[in-house]
Amino acid sequence: QVQLVESGGGLVQPGGSLRLACAASGTIFTIDDMGWYRQAPGKERELVAKISSGGRTNYADSVKGRFTISRDNAKNTVYLQMNSLKAEDTDVYYCNAYMHTSGAWGNYWGQGTQVTVSS
């Protein structure tokens, strides 16, 4: 059974940094794109950053220059380094991976981790 387990969320002051990690486990044959999304109450889930299996990245305009996404394919893990955090970055962050598991391709989500940026 495939899982995406997130870690690294928490409370940080404006201007501070956090590093999120998400590790995929279970019976996985192939992982294509991995990414991070965030969702505020009452809002749609939105893309923060994504990275292809080959390392191609894409970022939301609001985080360009501040966040860096990376992955370690040997560990089936994706990271999000968040610097110069702003109050507007406060959200629940979800890990995403498009993976081929036992039987089919599918879009998988982590459980969500809270990031709060506040004085």
Side-chain angles (χ1 to χ4, degrees), residues 1 3 5 8 10-12 16 19 24 26 34 39 45 56-57 62 68 71 73 81-82 87-89 101 105 107 117:
Q1 290 72 3
Q3 291 185 323
V5 180
L11 174 65
V12 66
R19 179 177 168 87
M34 303 185 81
Q39 187 171 24
R45 192 169 297 183
R56 186 176 182 179
T57 60
S62 60
T68 302
R71 65 192 286 170
N73 291 331
Q81 178 67 45
M82 303 185 292
E88 303 86 75
D89 296 318
T101 63
W105 284 91
N107 205 23
V117 184

Side-chain angles (χ1 to χ4, degrees), residues 29-46:
F29 295 101
T30 306
I31 303 179
D32 195 7
D33 290 356
M34 303 185 81
W36 291 93
Y37 295 71
R38 62 189 183 188
Q39 187 171 24
K43 298 295 186 73
E44 292 291 309
R45 192 169 297 183
E46 66 176 4

Side-chain angles (χ1 to χ4, degrees), residues 4 22-26 28 31 34 71-78:
L4 295 174
C22 172
S25 63
I28 302 167
I31 303 179
M34 303 185 81
R71 65 192 286 170
D72 185 335
N73 291 331
K75 297 180 179 180
N76 290 338
T77 299
V78 63

Side-chain angles (χ1 to χ4, degrees), residues 38 46-50 58-67:
R38 62 189 183 188
E46 66 176 4
L47 174 70
V48 177
K50 63 180 178 181
N58 190 36
Y59 297 91
D61 288 341
S62 60
V63 307
K64 287 180 179 177
R66 299 188 297 120
F67 292 9

